[in-house]
Amino acid sequence: MALSRALWARAAVWGSAVTPGLYVTRRLQLGRSGLAGGAPRSAKLHLSPRADMKNLISYVVTKTKVINGKYHRFLGRHFPRFYVLYTIFMKGLQMLWADAKKARRIKTNMWKHNIKFHQLSYREMEHLRQVWARGRYPKVHGIISIPPFANYLVFLLMYLFPRQLLIRHFWTPKQQIDFLDIYHALRKQSHPEILYYLERVIPLISDAGLRWHMTELCTKKALSRAMLLTPYLPPLLLRHRLKTHTTVIHQLDKALAKLGIGQLTAQEVKSACYLRGLNSTHVAEERCRTWLGEWLQISCSLK
C-alpha cells in the first residue's frame, strides 16, 4: 500500500515536470511554424526600402506632371503671348541639352578610338561644327554681365535682340526665316568685292603673285563677311579663321559625297545649302538637292 502511494506520487511529480516541457516544446514548434507561415503577411504590409523609394519617385513624377500641365494651361489661357515664348524657351533648352550630350558622346568616342575630325561621319562632323559655332554666344553673355547687376540686363537684351544674342534653338519659326534672310543679305553685300578681286587673280593663276593677291583678298575681309565670320579681327587671325572654316567645309563635302545627298532629310539639305552660300529658306527642296550636288562636284574635284 505504501509502495503504491509512493509510485503514484512519483508519477504525479514526473507528470507535472514532463508535461510543461512538452507543452513549451509544442508551443515553440507552433510559434516557428506560425512565423514561417506569417512571413508573407508581414511582407505585404511592409515594403522594402528600395520599393518604397521607387513608389515615392513615381508619385513625385506623376504629381509634377499634373502640376506642370495645370501651369501650362493657366499660362496658355491667361498669358498666350508669354506662353509662346515660354514654350519656345523650354524646347530650346531641351534641344540644347540634347546637342551637348551628343557632342560629348562624339568627342568621347573620338578620344577612345583616336579618331580625327575628318574621319567622322557627315552628321557627326556637322553636329560638332554647329556646336562650335554656337560657342560664341555664352562668351558674349558673359562679357555683357561683367558689370555689377548687369546680369539682370542680359535677359532684357536677349528679348530685345534675339538675333544677336540667342541661337536658333530659341527663335520662333518666323524669326528663323527672317533672321536667315537678314544674314544672307549681309552675305550678299560682300559678293561684288569678292568677284572684283577674283577677276584680278584669274590672269595671274600661273604667276607666283597669286598668293599675294589671295592674301589681299583675305585682308580686305570680304570673304569673312561672305562666310558670316566677323571681319573685325587682326589679318593674321582672320586668315587663320578663314582657312579653318573653309577646311571644315571641304571635309564636310567629302563626307557628304560619301554618304550621298539622297540620305539627307529636307532640313539637312537646306541647312547644308545655306552654309555654302545659298539662301535655301525660299528654295524648293529638289532645287536645293540639285544645287548641292553641283557644289559637291566642284568641291570634291579640288585638292
Side-chain angles (χ1 to χ4, degrees):
M1 189 69 177
L3 180 59
S4 62
R5 289 178 180 177
L7 291 175
W8 278 107
R10 194 169 190 181
V13 173
W14 284 357
S16 62
V18 173
T19 303
L22 293 174
Y23 178 77
V24 172
T25 304
R26 183 61 180 169
R27 292 290 295 177
L28 287 176
Q29 292 176 352
L30 290 174
R32 289 171 183 171
S33 62
L35 287 176
R41 184 184 303 173
S42 63
K44 294 179 181 178
L45 294 177
H46 302 285
L47 300 175
S48 64
R50 180 176 297 179
D52 290 340
M53 182 58 66
K54 288 183 178 180
N55 290 337
L56 178 60
I57 294 175
S58 178
Y59 175 79
V60 171
V61 170
T62 304
K63 280 295 183 181
T64 303
K65 290 182 178 179
V66 172
I67 296 174
N68 194 37
K70 292 181 179 179
Y71 179 64
H72 279 217
R73 289 191 295 271
F74 172 79
L75 290 180
R77 188 181 306 113
H78 299 283
F79 306 97
R81 296 184 62 182
F82 176 77
Y83 177 70
V84 172
L85 297 177
Y86 171 79
T87 304
I88 293 174
F89 180 76
M90 296 305 297
K91 289 182 178 179
L93 287 179
Q94 294 176 358
M95 291 188 294
L96 193 63
W97 176 250
D99 288 349
K101 289 175 61 177
K102 184 177 179 180
R104 184 171 64 251
R105 185 167 59 250
I106 294 173
K107 292 181 179 179
T108 301
N109 186 58
M110 292 173 62
W111 179 77
K112 286 183 178 179
H113 300 89
N114 194 23
I115 299 175
K116 304 299 181 182
F117 177 78
H118 66 276
Q119 296 174 326
L120 296 173
S121 65
Y122 171 77
R123 287 191 172 93
E124 291 176 336
M125 294 171 63
E126 176 63 14
H127 186 81
L128 289 183
R129 186 199 65 81
Q130 293 181 6
V131 171
W132 293 339
R134 293 194 298 262
R136 66 182 180 91
Y137 288 91
K139 299 176 184 178
V140 174
H141 298 163
I143 294 174
I144 296 176
S145 60
I146 287 177
F149 304 104
N151 52 338
Y152 300 103
L153 183 62
V154 173
F155 297 101
L156 178 61
L157 292 177
M158 288 191 296
Y159 177 78
L160 297 177
F161 306 99
R163 179 174 65 86
Q164 292 84 354
L165 297 178
L166 293 178
I167 61 177
R168 294 183 60 176
H169 290 342
F170 302 101
W171 294 350
T172 64
K174 185 178 183 303
Q175 286 177 337
Q176 292 188 15
I177 297 176
D178 294 342
F179 294 167
L180 291 180
D181 287 342
I182 293 174
Y183 282 130
H184 187 71
L186 295 174
R187 182 163 56 186
K188 286 197 306 182
Q189 293 177 1
S190 60
H191 289 172
E193 190 174 356
I194 294 174
L195 293 176
Y196 169 74
Y197 283 102
L198 287 176
E199 289 177 356
R200 292 181 56 183
V201 168
I202 290 175
L204 304 174
I205 289 179
S206 59
D207 193 355
L210 174 63
R211 294 181 181 177
W212 182 85
H213 285 285
M214 292 302 295
T215 302
E216 183 183 15
L217 177 63
C218 296
T219 304
K220 291 295 183 179
K221 303 181 183 184
L223 278 178
S224 295
R225 297 195 302 271
M227 296 183 180
L228 299 178
L229 301 175
T230 174
Y232 306 108
L233 293 174
L236 182 62
L237 183 57
L238 186 58
R239 285 194 292 270
H240 174 72
R241 289 200 64 188
L242 280 171
K243 181 180 179 181
T244 302
H245 188 74
T246 53
T247 301
V248 169
I249 293 179
H250 190 55
Q251 292 171 344
L252 283 170
D253 290 342
K254 291 183 177 180
L256 180 55
K258 183 178 180 180
L259 175 65
I261 300 177
Q263 300 298 322
L264 299 183
T265 63
Q267 182 59 38
E268 289 175 332
V269 170
K270 288 183 174 290
S271 178
C273 291
Y274 192 89
L275 173 66
R276 290 157 177 82
L278 177 67
N279 189 10
S280 54
T281 55
H282 304 286
V283 181
E285 178 186 347
E286 291 302 321
R287 180 70 185 100
C288 289
R289 292 184 184 273
T290 302
W291 186 91
L292 189 58
E294 295 171 353
W295 171 282
L296 291 181
Q297 289 179 359
I298 299 175
S299 175
C300 294
S301 64
L302 300 175
K303 294 182 180 179

